[in-house]
């Protein structure tokens, strides 16, 4: 299992957020991320193109929310 990070934004635009899910592949990560966003932020949507398991991106996201 890999840790996949992703970003999400309010429907219609606005401030964005991010989180991570654990999954084997990208399709599973997208499904889990979609479910997480819908459960926790129903008025937001997943940025599907942001789903990745790159450690450098993860570190950049951490620094962005210091």
């Amino acid at each position: 299992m890999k840790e996949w990070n992703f970003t999400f934004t309010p429907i219609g635009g606005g401030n964005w957020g991010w989180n991570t899910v654990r999954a084997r592949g990208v399709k599973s990560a997208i499904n889990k991320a979609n479910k997480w966003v819908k459960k926790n932020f129903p008025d937001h949507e997943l940025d599907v193109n942001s789903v990745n398991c790159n450690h450098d991106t993860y570190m950049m996201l951490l620094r962005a929310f210091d």
Side-chain angles (χ1 to χ4, degrees):
M1 296 270 253
K2 295 179 184 177
E3 188 170 39
W4 298 80
N5 54 70
F6 60 91
T7 61
F8 53 94
T9 57
I11 296 170
N15 292 334
W16 59 280
W18 73 278
N19 207 333
T20 63
V21 292
R22 293 191 59 78
R24 289 181 189 222
V26 68
K27 287 183 183 180
S28 178
I30 291 170
N31 287 337
K32 287 182 176 185
N34 261 324
K35 287 178 184 176
W36 185 92
V37 171
K38 287 180 183 178
K39 177 182 176 187
N40 295 290
F41 294 92
D43 60 336
H44 288 59
E45 60 189 352
L46 173 67
D47 177 7
V48 176
N49 293 326
S50 74
V51 178
N52 70 81
C53 59
N54 183 304
H55 182 72
D56 292 333
T57 303
Y58 176 76
M59 295 307 294
M60 185 233 11
L61 290 167
L62 281 176
R63 284 190 295 272
F65 285 88
D66 247 356

